[in-house]
Amino acid sequence: MEEMPDFVYGVVRALDVKNRNIHELLLEMSDLSFQGRALGEAYRVLIDMFSDSRNTVFLGLAGSMSTAGMWKIIKWLVEERYVDVVVSTGAIISEDIFEAMGFKYYKVHPCIDDALLLKHKYDRFYDTVASELEYRKMESLIEEFVERLAHRDKVYSTAEFLYEFGKYLNDKGVDSIVAAAYRAKVPVFSPALVDSGYGMGLLLAYRRGHRVVLDMVKDFYQLVEIGRLAEKLSAIYVGGGVPKDYVNLITVAQTLIAEAEANISDYYKSLEYVVQFTTDMAQWGGLSGATLEEAVSWGKVAPTAKKKMVNVDATIALPLIAHGLKVGGVKRAKPQDVISVIEEQRRLIK
């Protein structure tokens, strides 16, 4: 048999049809081509990521995932401690509350007349709608919480704020992502929290004299401190945007801290495992589509990292990946206790 050149790293194997579980299917898909191979290879990276007992795993979340029915999968990943830290848009961790409160999202045709929706007070997310009046009840729940919190006269990071909100929701029986994170002691950061229903709740409470201050520098300091004390860093990105770079910048901060405080040059503490599911493309120059190879140039991803980007709708990838983990019995080797880091360093969670 002819010896293969160094640039060949495996054989493409045609996928036959047989009885197999989703875990086995994902493993075998890594021997296909195109995005099927990418999904299978990403699944293998995740297995390695979860098997590394020295690993702190960050989950970055963007996009309209909760309205699309993905929030219970995200909640499961938190509850099962596949991840140690969540960094999310405000939308994902508010629009799950909408359904957890008992309201429904409804299927519509994406070419529906939006003027008709406006008339009947329904808000559209592509092929899904929600009642605007019910959505306001979700925002009112956030306002109610803010008004109770405001009397403490304290400056909060988003992780502190969402910890308190998770406790509040848990006590009320609203079983959402942040409620699950509160129970699992997984901190949730949201660098653009007010760009969501939280913004409406905070604004309305503010206008009524109930002021809560969110300190974004304090927020980032806490996140970087978790990264500084972690032995190894890894990330899972659903979409891209601000949550992706918020996590990426943890690695850049390690370099700057080493130079400023210890006079150490050329120090890098980069992501060693990283997977991203995104529909964005690299050629537009935006971060959401920026390749994981490009991130190596910044020191954000290690040159030797196990990494894979999959250009796929996350509503396809997440159910397959989560069920593969479940059926395959893939468990986290050692979840990291990062809440204790926050408690010890900043005395934030009481």
Side-chain angles (χ1 to χ4, degrees):
M1 183 176 177
E2 181 183 355
E3 184 177 350
M4 290 294 100
D6 291 342
F7 57 76
V8 171
Y9 71 91
V11 176
V12 174
R13 303 182 188 278
L15 192 65
D16 57 354
V17 178
K18 63 181 182 182
N19 290 327
R20 56 162 74 83
N21 63 43
I22 189 66
H23 171 75
E24 295 167 337
L25 177 62
L26 285 166
L27 291 176
E28 292 183 44
M29 285 176 67
S30 65
D31 290 327
L32 300 177
S33 296
F34 315 135
Q35 296 309 298
R37 182 197 301 175
L39 184 62
E41 289 182 344
Y43 185 64
R44 288 181 179 270
V45 172
L46 288 172
I47 292 173
D48 290 341
M49 180 190 296
F50 299 145
S51 299
D52 192 329
S53 61
R54 300 175 297 164
N55 212 13
T56 297
V57 179
F58 296 80
L59 174 63
L61 299 169
S64 194
M65 291 295 98
S66 290
T67 61
M70 296 292 103
W71 68 271
K72 288 186 178 180
I73 294 177
I74 296 166
K75 186 168 78 76
W76 178 80
L77 291 171
V78 170
E79 290 172 328
E80 296 297 316
R81 287 308 315 272
Y82 287 103
V83 300
D84 302 305
V85 182
V86 175
V87 179
S88 177
T89 61
I92 290 176
I93 54 173
S94 61
E95 288 167 349
D96 64 319
I97 296 168
F98 177 89
E99 193 168 0
M101 291 173 69
F103 304 128
K104 303 294 183 185
Y105 293 108
Y106 298 101
K107 295 185 285 185
V108 296
H109 195 282
C111 295
I112 192 171
D113 182 353
D114 288 284
L116 180 66
L117 293 178
L118 177 64
K119 178 181 178 180
H120 289 277
K121 292 185 169 55
Y122 277 84
D123 304 325
R124 184 164 70 91
F125 313 82
Y126 183 58
D127 60 0
T128 300
V129 297
S131 164
E132 168 65 22
L133 298 180
E134 292 175 345
Y135 201 93
R136 291 176 190 173
K137 292 180 181 179
M138 178 267 288
E139 293 170 335
S140 294
L141 178 64
I142 296 172
E143 179 189 0
E144 175 186 301
F145 164 71
V146 171
E147 291 183 356
R148 293 190 180 193
L149 193 66
H151 74 277
R152 299 187 188 182
D153 191 28
K154 181 180 177 183
V155 176
Y156 294 87
S157 69
T158 64
E160 293 175 291
F161 176 85
L162 292 169
Y163 176 86
E164 296 287 352
F165 190 42
K167 181 179 186 302
Y168 179 77
L169 292 177
N170 188 67
D171 291 346
K172 290 180 73 70
V174 181
D175 194 12
S176 60
I177 295 169
V178 293
Y182 163 75
R183 295 192 300 269
K185 297 186 177 181
V186 172
V188 181
F189 294 82
S190 186
L193 187 66
V194 298
D195 183 25
S196 66
Y198 286 98
M200 296 301 104
L202 285 159
L203 172 67
L204 293 173
Y206 193 97
R207 290 178 65 87
R208 290 164 56 88
H210 302 283
R211 184 182 183 191
V212 169
V213 178
L214 300 177
D215 184 341
M216 297 313 302
V217 177
K218 184 180 186 183
D219 206 55
F220 189 52
Y221 184 94
Q222 292 172 359
L223 196 65
V224 169
E225 188 72 2
I226 291 171
R228 188 181 70 83
L229 295 173
E231 188 171 354
K232 299 173 75 172
L233 303 175
S234 298
I236 304 166
Y237 297 127
V238 178
V242 173
K244 178 183 177 183
D245 204 40
Y246 210 55
V247 175
N248 279 352
L249 287 175
I250 296 171
T251 65
V252 177
Q254 308 308 314
T255 301
L256 298 180
I257 290 169
E259 291 179 354
E261 299 182 3
N263 199 28
I264 300 173
S265 60
D266 296 325
Y267 173 81
Y268 295 100
K269 188 175 185 180
S270 308
L271 296 170
E272 300 191 40
Y273 303 87
V274 57
V275 165
Q276 182 179 5
F277 306 106
T278 183
T279 54
D280 290 304
M281 305 302 290
Q283 66 266 30
W284 313 122
L287 183 78
S288 295
T291 66
L292 302 178
E293 288 74 21
E294 179 181 311
V296 172
S297 72
W298 292 77
K300 297 174 180 177
V301 173
T304 57
K306 293 185 177 181
K307 58 187 183 296
K308 198 66 189 181
M309 175 182 281
V310 191
N311 291 112
V312 63
D313 185 334
T315 64
I316 297 171
L318 277 180
L320 295 175
I321 292 292
H323 284 80
L325 296 172
K326 176 73 172 178
V327 171
V330 179
K331 299 291 185 180
R332 184 81 185 281
K334 185 182 179 182
Q336 303 301 307
D337 185 10
V338 299
I339 279 286
S340 68
V341 171
I342 296 177
E343 288 174 336
E344 181 178 348
Q345 295 296 317
R346 291 287 143 261
R347 301 177 185 177
L348 300 178
I349 311 301
K350 298 181 180 179

